[in-house]
Amino acid sequence: MNYLYLLFDADDTLFDFPKASSRAFQKMCRTQGIPFTEELHQRYHAINLELWAAFDRGEVGKDYVSLERYVRFLKEVQLERDPAACNRDYRDALGEGVFPLPHAEEVCRELRARGHRMYIITNAVASIQRSRLRGSVFAGLFEGAFVSEEAGAAKPSPAYFDYVARQLPGLTPSNALVIGDSLTTDIQGANNAGLPCCWFNPAGKPRPAGLRIDYEIDDLRTLLDIA
């Protein structure tokens, strides 16, 4: 065993977030009486990505992002709906959306059987992410989840990883591995915290300059040869 502690990102590393988000958006549309089209969803998705990118840069807060995405979306598509109600319906539906990525369950089960201590590290809204985790196949495999909303800091801030380290006093840079798909939050965060990292890159994106990437995988099963 190379790493006792495995710190997994959740969305797009273990969970298929685009699928969950699309289903939640469709359900919100039905509840709000909005005729769903894929074009409509893509407009929302672009706005959502832009605002979460601003959050990752530390420019805005999570509550602002959650509401503002629907304020902007409804204005852009010229629909008269309550943004807060749309956001509530979307978040409620998202909390029910649990779609593991290929091989995620089998890999996590094997890692747990080998004796690894596994935790979720996520910037997601706490109520949504904990609801999804409770209803997922991962519920009994992970020892806990560290959610930015509860930590008082978010990836990639060193303060977030300091919070994680305080909760796991046995964790050190020599026995922990960060696994995630996001260069800006997971990999940059591991760099900031001085922790080894594994970039999950199933799309084959080009490796960036200026970031330390200790491992790169395009299939979660490869993690079994690393951890």
Side-chain angles (χ1 to χ4, degrees):
M1 183 188 300
N2 296 317
Y3 301 100
L4 174 61
Y5 293 91
L6 301 179
L7 308 179
F8 280 87
D9 173 54
D11 291 321
D12 297 321
T13 300
L14 297 175
F15 292 120
D16 185 338
F17 185 76
K19 184 175 182 179
S21 178
S22 177
R23 298 273 182 99
F25 184 82
Q26 290 180 55
K27 188 170 183 180
M28 180 280 296
C29 285
R30 289 196 299 271
T31 304
Q32 291 293 324
I34 299 173
F36 172 82
T37 65
E38 188 53 41
E39 180 186 357
L40 210 62
H41 178 242
Q42 288 305 315
R43 287 193 184 187
Y44 163 78
H45 182 60
I47 293 168
N48 193 42
L49 282 180
E50 180 182 354
L51 284 166
W52 280 113
F55 171 81
D56 290 341
R57 294 191 298 269
E59 297 170 1
V60 296
K62 190 177 276 99
D63 290 341
Y64 176 84
V65 172
S66 292
L67 183 60
E68 181 65 17
R69 58 189 176 181
Y70 279 102
V71 171
R72 295 187 185 183
F73 166 71
L74 292 168
K75 182 177 180 180
E76 183 174 312
V77 299
Q78 299 180 328
L79 285 171
E80 292 187 7
R81 299 291 191 283
D82 179 4
C86 290
N87 184 52
R88 180 199 64 227
D89 292 340
Y90 171 80
R91 287 175 55 164
D92 287 349
L94 188 61
E96 302 167 358
V98 183
F99 306 102
L101 285 171
H103 313 298
E105 180 184 359
E106 65 184 83
V107 167
C108 288
R109 288 194 182 281
E110 176 62 24
L111 290 170
R112 178 64 182 265
R114 294 181 183 183
H116 293 280
R117 300 188 62 184
M118 301 190 299
Y119 295 86
I120 298 289
I121 53 173
T122 177
N123 282 350
V125 176
S127 60
I128 294 175
Q129 203 68 315
R130 292 201 180 279
S131 173
R132 295 171 72 207
L133 287 170
R134 282 194 302 270
S136 77
V137 296
F138 303 110
L141 301 177
F142 284 82
E143 295 188 37
F146 301 108
V147 186
S148 59
E149 194 171 65
E150 299 166 345
K155 299 180 293 182
S157 167
Y160 173 84
F161 288 91
D162 288 345
Y163 171 85
V164 173
R166 288 195 300 271
Q167 311 308 309
L168 302 174
L171 183 147
T172 70
S174 62
N175 69 4
L177 180 68
V178 173
I179 304 110
D181 70 293
S182 172
L183 292 170
T184 57
T185 58
D186 304 315
I187 305 307
Q188 183 65 62
N191 277 225
N192 293 345
L195 294 173
C197 57
C198 177
W199 182 30
F200 179 48
N201 181 26
K205 298 175 184 176
R207 183 180 283 229
L211 270 181
R212 171 180 49 81
I213 299 175
D214 300 291
Y215 308 97
E216 180 180 343
I217 61 175
D218 60 8
D219 186 313
L220 287 174
R221 290 173 292 186
T222 309
L223 194 58
L224 297 174
D225 299 325
I226 295 171

